[in-house]
Structures are given as C-alpha cells and as structure tokens.
Amino acid sequence: MNRPARQRAYTRRSRTGCQTCKTRRIKCDETPGSCKNCSSTGRTCDGYETARLPIVTKKGKFYTPSIHIIDISFPSMSSDERRCISFFQTRTMPMLVSFFEWEVWRRLALQLGQAEPAAIKHRTQHHRFAIEQYGHALSTLRRRLTSQDPHVSVIALVCCVVFTYLEVLQGNNENACAHLTNGLQILSGEKGDAARAIVHDKLQDYHHADGSPAMTPQTALLAAIAHLDIQIQIHRYVSRQRDTNGVRGANHQPLRFRTLDEAWRELDPISDNALGYLTLVQSALQDPGITDVFPILVAQRKLATQLEEHIAAFTELATTQLRHPTPKQARCMNLIQMQHRILRTHTYRALRLSEDVWDDFAPDLIEGLAFGEATVASLEAEFSPPNLPTLVMDMVIILPLTWIALKCRDLPTRRRAVQLLRRWPHFEGPHHTSTFVALVEGAVELEEARRDPRTGLIPAEALVADVSVVQREGAPPVLGYTLAHLGGPYLEVPFPVGDWGSV
C-alpha cells in the first residue's frame, strides 16, 4: 500500500526574528528584548537586527571578478549578510584590485570574513546596516584579541585594513589614522615614526632579498598597511599636517622584480621618501635665512639613487618577461612609467620654482600625462564608463595628474590633466578627484590670470609654491595657496559649491 508523501506544514518564515532563532532555523515569537524561545530554554538571545536592507528587484551589471570566490551559504549568516558578502566579492573586490593584485583583498579579507565574525563587516538603509555590522565587528574583535590563538595577529591586521577603509569612506580620516597606527604598532612593536620606519624597511628588505620567497599572509598585510600609510601621510601633507621625516637610504642589495605587483609595491618607499624630501625643501624655502642646504642635497641624492635603481629594475622586467603584456599588464606598466616621470620631476625640480625651468621638465610631464590618458582609456575599454571603479586601493593617477597640472606652464597640458581627472571621478584611498580638481583649478586660475600676454610667461611672484586643504573646526574646508615662495603671500578661497563634501 502506497502511503501519501508527507508534506511539511508551511510556516511563514520571519525576516525580523532574533539571531539565535534564525541560526536554529525556527520561528521566533519576536518578544521585545529577548524572545521566549530562547529564555524558556536557557539560551542566550542574540537580539534583533535594528537595520534591514531593502529588497532588490533588479540586478545591476557586475564587474568580472578577478578574485578568489568563496562559498557564502553559511547558516549562521542572515540573508542580508549573505547579500552584502556577495556584493563585496563580486563588486567591491574587483574594483579594489582593478590594477595591481593585493592578496589582502583577493583572498585574506574574504576568507576571514567567513571564518571570523570580527572581520565581517549616503545615509540610507544600506549605510545603517553597514554601520551596525561595523559595530558588531569591533566588539567581536576586542573579545577575540584576548584569546591565545597564534593567528590572532593576522585577524587583527586584516580588520585593521578593512576598518581603515570603512572610516575613509565615511570621511573619518582621524579614525582611519587610529586604526592604521594600531596596525603599524602590531607589525613593528614600536610607536610613531619608529613604527613607520620599521614597517617600510621590512617591506624593502623583502623586495631586495635574493630570490624573494612567496608572499605569506603576514607579508601581504605588511605591504597593504605600508601602502595605506603612504596614502594617509599624503592626506596629512595636503592638509598641512606635515612631519619633517628624513629620507631613508636605499638597500644595498640589488633590486630585482619578478612581477609587476612587486615593482608597484616597491614604489611605496620611494613615494614616502619623496614626501619627506618635499617637506625638507619646503621647510628650507620657508626660512629665507637658511644657508646650509647640504642635508637637502643629501636627501635628493638618496631619492635619485632609489628612483634610478627602480627604473633600471623595471626596465629589465619589462624587456625580459613582459614583451607581450595582457591589457591589464599594459595598463599597470603605463602607471609605473607615469610614476617614474612624475617622481623624477619631484626629485629634481623641487628646489627650482622659477618659470624658466619649465622646458627642462616639460618632456617628463607631457609623457607622464600620455601614460595617464592611456591608463584611463584602457580602464574604460574594460569596464565601460558607467561602471568604472569608484574606489581603488592604489594611488594611480590622482596625484600624478595634480602634479602635472600644478607644475607645468603649458595651458593646454594643464587643461588635459584636469579633464582627465574629471573624466574618472573616484577615490584612491582617502583621496577623491573632486578635492584635487578644486585645488588644481584654483592654482591655475591664480597663475593664468597674471600671465604676461606679450612674453607668454607667468611672473615669478605669481607662481604657486604650495597648495593645501585647510580644515577648521566647525567650518567647511578651504583651499590654501602660497605664492612665489613659502612664507610669501598666502591666499584662501572657498571650495566650489558642491565639491567640498568629498574631501
């Protein structure tokens, strides 16, 4: 006799039940505070979600992932958390690694986001949900740090990187600095400038080692945090919070690159030294009575040696291993060559402000701009303009294009650089194109208004020596310009309407 198949009684599943009942896959009675299902059985009720994501009825066009996709069907996750993880790995991650590969984003953050609650995670429902998850992650990490797990430092460092970017995206750069400082301290065991020096030296030792070993999670995190540190230091520099850091010398071991990613990461210590060198130069220019420029010349020599060594190692890599690059490799090679041109002008032009040196540096700047245009064109061909990445981990074109527009004296070249910045609005770490467009356009306007119509030259006293974003408590930021030389006439102008909110 055939028995009728048993049918499971239909029960309407609640989307607003407590977390414990969701994990147990039972219907929650949703009693405020603590549900009776939990309290009557002696269980701890993990409470209710205070923020929910809106239901999405249309699916947008996703980027082609270049990351390690992992399973997200974990029963302990809510449907909203699964949606967020899915979006993170199919949309956010490919944006972050749309140029160079970063093991932290390609694999570590996703893997730990599944295994570790501490690593899981506009004023909209999406924003409120993200902030709530961020709070859960912070509190879980605090508890996790007290464990004896030997891997807890890796977990903490991944959280440090993720939390830093979360704060950057909310415009909380001071909080981002605090997270980054904690990461530097975990990696080095020191504080302040000593921590920064140790971390950057460790990374440089890795790149200079003979036959560098495969990158471990610890080394990947070291590289990611060192890169974030450069971005935050540049933000502080633009905000006139400048430290007079010295310029560290190059490692004596020969520099060899196996991949473009290694070549790109090795630019970080050079960029850090360039920032320290510019700070030394500006401090000297601000003091008209200074007579001893020998320390500045030593710093310049160190920086030049590092840069030329990097150019030679990159050239060897390009000519021996990358004769037929893929489109992405070609894009990355353009970026490295663009950085070479700009860093060269940083190194040799900083002490020379006058108009008559433009011809000496015009070829490097114009060539750098051409590499930038090729980069953006390649990106548009791959992603199509409506879907261009809005956040990338690397500093790719914003700062080089800003330098070109500020330092060249050819108006068409300046306009091309500004147009390219406007063509791709996005974040590079804490830096948004709108901030730098405003800075550049203000400087160009100041200089071009006083260009001599007869000679075509800008008078020396009209040249902009320094730019900055000045933030005062309780007031919107303003653009600051120092003319002719540091210590010379100083002007402040407001941000163009609608632009300053992206600082």
Side-chain angles (χ1 to χ4, degrees), residues 14-22 28-30 47-49:
S14 171
R15 284 175 53 85
T16 55
C18 76
Q19 298 297 316
T20 306
C21 288
K22 286 184 179 181
C28 181
D29 59 48
E30 301 183 27
Y48 307 93
E49 295 174 340

Side-chain angles (χ1 to χ4, degrees), residues 32 77 103 105 212 248 262 267 298 309 420 424 478 490:
M77 282 188 177
E103 189 70 8
W105 295 115
S212 299
R248 294 188 292 276
E262 287 185 356
L267 280 171
V298 170
E309 184 184 34
L420 194 56
W424 178 27
V478 296
Y490 176 73

